[in-house]
Amino acid sequence: MKIQNIYIPAVALGLMLGMSGCDDNVMEWKDPDSTVKPTELPLEMAEKIARYDFIKNYMTQYHPNVPITVGMGLENYLDDEDYRKVVDDNFQGVTFGNAMKHQSIVATNGTCNWATVDAFLALNTGLPIHGHNLLWHTQQQQSYMKSLIAPKMVVTGSADGGIINVITNSDFEDGTLNGWDGWSHYTKTVSSPGHDSNYCLKAEMDAETAVNYDCQLWWPTELKPGTTYAYRFWVKSPDNIDVQFVGQNASYGGIYKTVFTAGPDWTLCEGEFEYKDTDTPDIIRIGIQFGGTPVSVLYVDDFEFGEKGAADPMINILPDDASTFDGITDGSTGGWGSWGSNKESAATVEGAGTGGSTGLVLINKGDGNAWEAQCAYTLDTPLDASKTYMITFDAKCDHEGGYLQFQHQNSTSYGSQGAYTDFEVGTSWVPCEREFVPAVEEGKGDVDRIIINFGKVGGTYTIDNIKFGEKTDQGTAASKPQKAVTISYELKSPEEKKALLLGAMEEWIKEAMTHMGNACTSWDVINEPIGDNGKIRGVEGGWMSGDSEPVEDTTSGLTLNWANESGNGHFYWGYYCGMDYAVKAFQFARQYSPNNAKLYVNDYNLETSPSKLAKLIEFVKYIDEHGGQVDGIGTQMHVQKSITREQVDAMFQTMAKTGKLVRITELDVALGTEAKTAADYELQGEVYNMILTSYFENVPEAQQGGITIWSLTDAPEEHEYWLKGDEPNLFDATFGRKLAYKRVCDAIAGHDLGEEFESPDYSQK
């Protein structure tokens, strides 16, 4: 075996030399009753470790069909040349800790970003990749998945409280024209797309008409004298035709209101009128007329009509440029300030607001904490802690599943925070409202700032019609007018949710398999499907420790009570899809794998929980029996130094009996965070040796799928989130080989490789 010029790490030297300071000192080694001179065993052991070959060379020599790989942070490999060299020298493949997980690749709008992974592929290292992982119960792009199955929010009325809408088919989003009538010289159908929606009404004229009333569209409703009515609708036409709002009685007598021009772009038409006793009596239908033009086409959408709503429920104290943003032409934000590490930009944009008006557009850099991107307005006068205040605004996002949050605070101390309210927003305008009494903290100052947080979910948000002020007296409940806005939800059935999620699963797995191509020779298709309670996560209620079981709100259809929702990306596929999620995952992976990659189920604590291992094997058997095909079972093996040979042997023997490939997927040996001794490092090496020896002895060669050492070094940056403060790996923080390195190589060879080396006599100067 060739001699390598390899750095002997401080850990190794410390382990060998102990507390020795000069040749006269003696030190304890292994047996406390046996003493050796520092010129003997310590330097001999250090010499042996330095002479060991790279790990992968031993694997090639002794187990040529079994790959040994390393689990690593991809950024470490890309950014650190020394790190990269140690990986390349010692391992035959890699597993990325987080870079290929669903939440890392899939954005909140469902698009995929492989840039970091592509940077690795561009290096052409030749290192095969074990894909980790396709489906998990955490680190999934929860916002996107929930947006797919979220109920459709139905808003009846107007966002500013101006109309008590009586038209039940205002937006045609059920794909029908139910309730609408019309006659003369045109044919009406449902068309797509609509105004910020899926559908609208399309009127195609079949002949040239002479006068406006030659084409009329009606909705049945009776008007009451002495009542003020309001209307609002959107129209467009390529031929700039005139559209007039009208009402009519059974004798065709009518009332005639504003004439609008329908141009090539969607145009908002709105107005109000008082229906008096002196007007044409007994109006029974309202609508529009649009004749008097050559053959043309007219599109109509979001048609609202009804009694004018009550006066604003607040006294709006915001100036116009901070409320509607109309009149701003330079992109300034009307007095609203914005900041935060996740903020990308904030500016007013003409045409972005409701009805084509100016709106405030906020963009963040990606998912994070809500407060990492804030838009705030500081008031001239602090709020009165004895009064109730209200804020209302309209909002939308460039994708479904967007989130905004309202709060208040003191602008100097940042204390007196409160009124936290989350709003889920999508691609259509959504009215947002909150009323509150200011929560003033002692010594923190009065509330003088209102804030809209937009840092939680990546995307572009548009805000308009912000009103804020003291709530007006609404009188008794019996005398309150109807609300101008009614929000309801159209819930998706369990069958619809399942179909949508399985569709998204197929898209994701196809995307991953296709993008990675032949680079991935194996995959963790499903990671950690069995909970610590021995149940299948999501299917049988096997939630994570500390995770409350999800409960669906029967009103909104939203899933509630997920622990640490967005931060950890919890999403239980089995909760919605049952065991079909597992079967389909393997079917899709098999279907789209371009190189017939080996497909695994992976889980932890199998060496210490025989019952969990039995449940996992049952899980695998179900997949195989129902049309899937599992190639192998992965055992993570994040073990403590107290693990026993009996436990490890029993696990490998049980796994081998399945006939499946058996893979060690995430091996490390924790020592704890207390100060380490020479005995700790020796025991760590013995545990590594024992596990690999058991693997080679108990798993038939044809079933040995591979071994992955989890993390390269003990450096703190590799253990910021996993085994923080511990030293579980084969290399120390400066890439020096530890005793565990030697013991891993010995296990691969099946004997002490160090016995092959002749050691010089270090006592000779």
Side-chain angles (χ1 to χ4, degrees), residues 146-203:
K146 289 178 71 174
S147 74
L148 295 177
I149 59 176
K152 176 185 175 183
M153 180 184 289
V154 180
V155 181
T156 304
S158 64
D160 63 1
I163 301 175
I164 303 172
N165 189 28
V166 298
I167 298 178
T168 57
N169 189 11
S170 289
D171 55 13
F172 314 104
E173 288 304 294
D174 63 356
T176 75
L177 301 178
N178 292 342
W180 288 95
D181 195 6
W183 51 70
S184 296
H185 307 299
Y186 77 93
T187 301
K188 63 182 185 301
T189 57
V190 174
S191 180
S192 180
H195 168 255
D196 282 341
S197 61
N198 292 323
Y199 300 108
C200 64
L201 182 148
K202 180 180 181 181

Side-chain angles (χ1 to χ4, degrees), residues 358-637:
T358 300
L360 177 61
V361 177
L362 309 172
I363 305 176
N364 71 19
K365 298 176 182 177
D367 294 357
N369 294 306
W371 45 264
E372 289 180 303
Q374 296 184 311
C375 182
Y377 190 90
T378 302
L379 306 165
D380 294 332
T381 304
L383 303 184
D384 187 334
S386 68
K387 295 182 178 180
T388 300
Y389 292 84
M390 291 186 66
I391 184 168
T392 63
F393 57 94
D394 299 330
K396 68 176 182 177
C397 185
D398 64 346
H399 61 81
E400 296 297 331
Y403 283 86
L404 296 174
Q405 182 186 68
F406 172 75
Q407 71 166 100
H408 66 58
Q409 67 176 201
N410 179 272
S411 61
T412 301
S413 70
Y414 309 116
S416 297
Q417 301 194 36
Y420 289 97
T421 310
D422 293 332
F423 300 102
E424 182 173 356
V425 296
T427 55
S428 298
W429 287 106
V430 174
C432 304
E433 177 178 319
R434 175 69 154 98
E435 65 178 67
F436 63 92
V437 175
V440 178
E441 296 178 81
E442 184 175 353
K444 298 294 185 179
D446 294 331
V447 173
D448 65 349
R449 175 180 284 167
I450 54 176
I451 302 173
I452 297 174
N453 295 324
F454 60 102
K456 183 176 181 181
V457 174
T460 299
Y461 297 87
T462 306
I463 313 293
D464 202 3
N465 304 319
I466 308 175
K467 297 182 180 180
F468 174 79
E470 182 181 344
K471 183 180 179 182
T472 57
D473 184 10
Q474 299 295 297
T476 63
S479 65
K480 289 182 180 179
Q482 298 181 49
K483 290 183 178 179
V485 174
T486 301
I487 297 177
S488 60
Y489 294 89
E490 294 179 1
L491 306 183
K492 292 181 175 66
S493 68
E495 294 75 20
E496 289 174 316
K497 292 179 181 179
K498 179 177 179 179
L500 287 166
L501 290 174
L502 290 179
M505 179 193 296
E506 181 175 9
E507 290 178 8
W508 158 238
I509 293 177
K510 179 181 179 180
E511 166 75 19
M513 290 288 180
T514 303
H515 191 91
M516 297 306 297
N518 294 329
C520 283
T521 55
S522 56
W523 289 84
D524 289 332
V525 178
I526 298 179
N527 191 43
E528 300 178 3
I530 311 301
D532 292 335
N533 58 2
K535 296 181 179 181
I536 301 172
R537 296 185 194 273
V539 178
E540 300 175 329
W543 318 110
M544 278 189 68
S545 176
D547 236 356
S548 55
E549 183 169 338
V551 177
E552 290 204 22
D553 186 317
T554 56
T555 300
S556 69
L558 299 176
T559 307
L560 310 175
N561 298 335
W562 298 90
N564 302 317
E565 280 202 357
S566 286
N568 290 335
H570 292 175
F571 192 85
Y572 295 89
W573 294 84
Y575 180 70
Y576 299 98
C577 303
M579 278 298 292
D580 280 354
Y581 101 90
V583 174
K584 288 294 185 182
F586 275 88
Q587 288 178 341
F588 294 146
R590 186 72 57 194
Q591 176 183 352
Y592 294 112
S593 174
N595 58 347
N596 198 29
K598 299 301 181 184
L599 306 180
Y600 286 83
V601 169
N602 185 46
D603 219 320
Y604 65 90
N605 282 357
L606 304 182
E607 66 280 351
T608 56
S609 178
S611 61
K612 184 175 184 178
L613 175 57
K615 186 68 175 182
L616 183 65
I617 292 172
E618 178 185 315
F619 179 82
V620 169
K621 184 178 180 182
Y622 181 96
I623 295 171
D624 286 346
E625 291 177 347
H626 289 79
Q629 181 185 343
V630 180
D631 293 317
I633 301 174
T635 173
Q636 292 183 12
M637 300 209 73

Side-chain angles (χ1 to χ4, degrees), residues 132 136 524 527-528 602-607 633-639 651 655 663-668 708 710 722:
H132 181 71
W136 199 11
D524 289 332
N527 191 43
E528 300 178 3
N602 185 46
D603 219 320
Y604 65 90
N605 282 357
L606 304 182
E607 66 280 351
I633 301 174
T635 173
Q636 292 183 12
M637 300 209 73
H638 297 294
V639 301
M651 177 192 68
M655 295 176 76
R663 185 180 183 107
I664 300 174
T665 57
E666 302 179 22
L667 177 61
D668 54 28
T708 299
W710 200 248
W722 176 249

Side-chain angles (χ1 to χ4, degrees), residues 178-348:
N178 292 342
W180 288 95
D181 195 6
W183 51 70
S184 296
H185 307 299
Y186 77 93
T187 301
K188 63 182 185 301
T189 57
V190 174
S191 180
S192 180
H195 168 255
D196 282 341
S197 61
N198 292 323
Y199 300 108
C200 64
L201 182 148
K202 180 180 181 181
E204 294 182 271
M205 300 171 198
D206 51 28
E208 184 173 343
T209 56
V211 293
N212 207 248
Y213 56 74
D214 279 343
C215 295
Q216 297 178 327
L217 175 69
W218 300 111
W219 181 270
T221 186
E222 296 184 10
L223 303 192
K224 298 180 293 183
T227 302
T228 298
Y229 291 95
Y231 55 86
R232 179 185 295 112
F233 57 92
W234 293 80
V235 292
K236 74 172 182 177
S237 172
D239 298 310
N240 294 302
I241 66 176
D242 289 341
V243 177
Q244 183 177 32
F245 180 87
V246 296
Q248 193 178 79
N249 60 24
S251 302
Y252 308 110
I255 58 173
Y256 302 91
K257 301 301 175 184
T258 307
V259 176
F260 305 93
T261 299
D265 297 320
W266 284 106
T267 299
L268 176 64
C269 309
E270 59 183 345
E272 62 180 68
F273 62 93
E274 182 182 359
Y275 182 56
K276 302 177 181 178
D277 292 335
T278 55
D279 291 334
T280 303
D282 303 323
I283 298 296
I284 60 170
R285 50 182 171 255
I286 58 91
I288 55 175
Q289 54 188 26
F290 47 93
T293 182
V295 176
S296 186
V297 61
L298 176 70
Y299 299 89
V300 183
D301 203 0
D302 297 330
F303 202 117
E304 299 173 288
F305 175 81
E307 294 182 31
K308 185 180 178 182
D312 281 340
M314 75 183 79
I315 302 171
N316 184 25
I317 62 174
L318 299 179
D320 289 344
D321 62 352
S323 181
T324 64
F325 307 107
D326 291 342
I328 298 178
T329 58
D330 61 358
S332 59
T333 54
W336 288 83
S338 60
W339 49 74
S341 60
N342 210 24
K343 171 209 166 183
E344 182 170 321
S345 63
T348 51

